[in-house]
Amino acid sequence: MYNLGLVTIVIIAANVMMSFKGFSDRGFFEKYKFNVGSIKAGEQIRMLSSGFLHADVTHLLFNMFTLYFFAGSVVSVLGSFKFIVIYFASLIFGNLLSLYFHKDEPWYSAIGASGAVTGILYAAILLQPDMSLYMFFIPIPIPGYVFGIGYLLYSIYGMKNKVGNIGHDAHFGGAIGGYVVTLIMMPSLFQTDLGYIALLAIPIVILFVLHKTGKLN
């Protein structure tokens, strides 16, 4: 049975309220968005608050619909508290990776719940690796683990080639956060789904190797 959980509704409501506040109040938006220079100057609250701001209604709806579709899988298996831990750990980890890759760009800014939402998506894939995803432009179901691997590989491509006005590094960091925290919370997956765990680790290893060899930039 699909269990969205009250906590998910609260998180979606918080995203909606803060995002609409940001839409109408530019000062509020600028004060709480992710900005490398401001964070390095001591405004760490932006590491958290930026995850509840969005560029526009389309950006907000995409993230919240994605969260809606995958949150229930995580809440049903791990419960609301662990869901919250994964959500916020993924949000912070995504922003930490962005901060790391853009540490010498004080002007770099970003907003959105994508890192947190991607972490929940990857947690759901780990917990239910045989799930199938339906994309509106692909007429056949896609296995969850195939989507996960493909998405992270695309994120690496986006980071390397600076594709679009998208925080690919935050997406990737959020996915890693969801992946790691879920495995810490449910180590039994190493006995039941080791093959899927190994497959989902491939893009993470590729990112590490590319970074170490200087081929990511």
Side-chain angles (χ1 to χ4, degrees), residues 137-171:
F137 50 85
I138 301 176
I140 59 174
I142 302 172
Y145 70 93
V146 172
F147 175 83
I149 294 169
Y151 188 87
L152 283 193
L153 290 176
Y154 174 74
S155 293
I156 293 175
Y157 173 80
M159 292 165 65
K160 184 174 175 61
N161 296 282
K162 297 178 173 57
V163 176
N165 188 27
I166 300 171
H168 296 285
D169 37 22
H171 294 183

Side-chain angles (χ1 to χ4, degrees), residues 37-53:
S38 299
I39 292 170
K40 291 177 74 173
E43 297 180 22
Q44 277 80 26
I45 187 63
R46 293 172 182 262
M47 295 286 287
L48 182 65
S49 61
S50 60
F52 290 86
L53 295 171

Side-chain angles (χ1 to χ4, degrees), residues 2-217:
Y2 190 82
N3 179 18
L4 185 63
L6 177 62
V7 66
T8 309
I9 296 172
V10 170
I11 288 175
I12 290 174
N15 271 278
V16 170
M17 288 188 290
M18 278 198 66
S19 292
F20 272 88
K21 172 67 173 174
F23 296 158
S24 61
D25 186 340
R26 193 67 191 180
F28 180 86
F29 183 89
E30 293 294 328
K31 182 178 180 180
Y32 292 109
K33 71 180 182 180
F34 179 94
N35 175 262
V36 171
S38 299
I39 292 170
K40 291 177 74 173
E43 297 180 22
Q44 277 80 26
I45 187 63
R46 293 172 182 262
M47 295 286 287
L48 182 65
S49 61
S50 60
F52 290 86
L53 295 171
H54 290 81
D56 51 39
V57 173
T58 300
H59 186 205
L60 172 65
L61 287 176
F62 180 81
N63 276 336
M64 294 304 99
F65 272 120
T66 304
L67 179 62
Y68 173 82
F69 284 122
F70 290 98
S73 297
V74 180
V75 173
S76 296
V77 177
L78 296 178
S80 294
F81 177 74
K82 290 182 178 179
F83 169 85
I84 294 173
V85 172
I86 293 172
Y87 185 90
F88 283 100
S90 299
L91 170 59
I92 297 299
F93 204 95
N95 280 339
L96 282 173
L97 196 65
S98 288
L99 187 63
Y100 175 75
F101 279 114
H102 299 281
K103 59 183 178 294
D104 297 322
E105 304 169 27
W107 60 87
Y108 181 84
S109 299
I111 36 94
S114 299
V117 172
T118 305
I120 293 299
L121 187 155
Y122 276 84
I125 292 173
L126 276 173
L127 295 170
Q128 298 182 17
D130 57 346
M131 72 163 57
S132 294
L133 306 179
Y134 290 86
M135 314 298 288
F136 68 90
F137 50 85
I138 301 176
I140 59 174
I142 302 172
Y145 70 93
V146 172
F147 175 83
I149 294 169
Y151 188 87
L152 283 193
L153 290 176
Y154 174 74
S155 293
I156 293 175
Y157 173 80
M159 292 165 65
K160 184 174 175 61
N161 296 282
K162 297 178 173 57
V163 176
N165 188 27
I166 300 171
H168 296 285
D169 37 22
H171 294 183
F172 200 104
I176 295 175
Y179 177 89
V180 172
V181 175
T182 301
L183 291 175
I184 291 172
M185 289 180 169
M186 198 167 178
S188 60
L189 292 172
F190 284 105
Q191 272 95 37
T192 59
D193 296 300
L194 184 59
Y196 290 118
I197 292 171
L199 285 171
L200 287 168
I202 291 173
I204 299 172
V205 173
I206 291 173
L207 179 72
F208 178 79
V209 171
L210 288 175
H211 176 63
K212 283 296 183 181
T213 57
K215 295 180 179 179
L216 193 59
N217 297 317

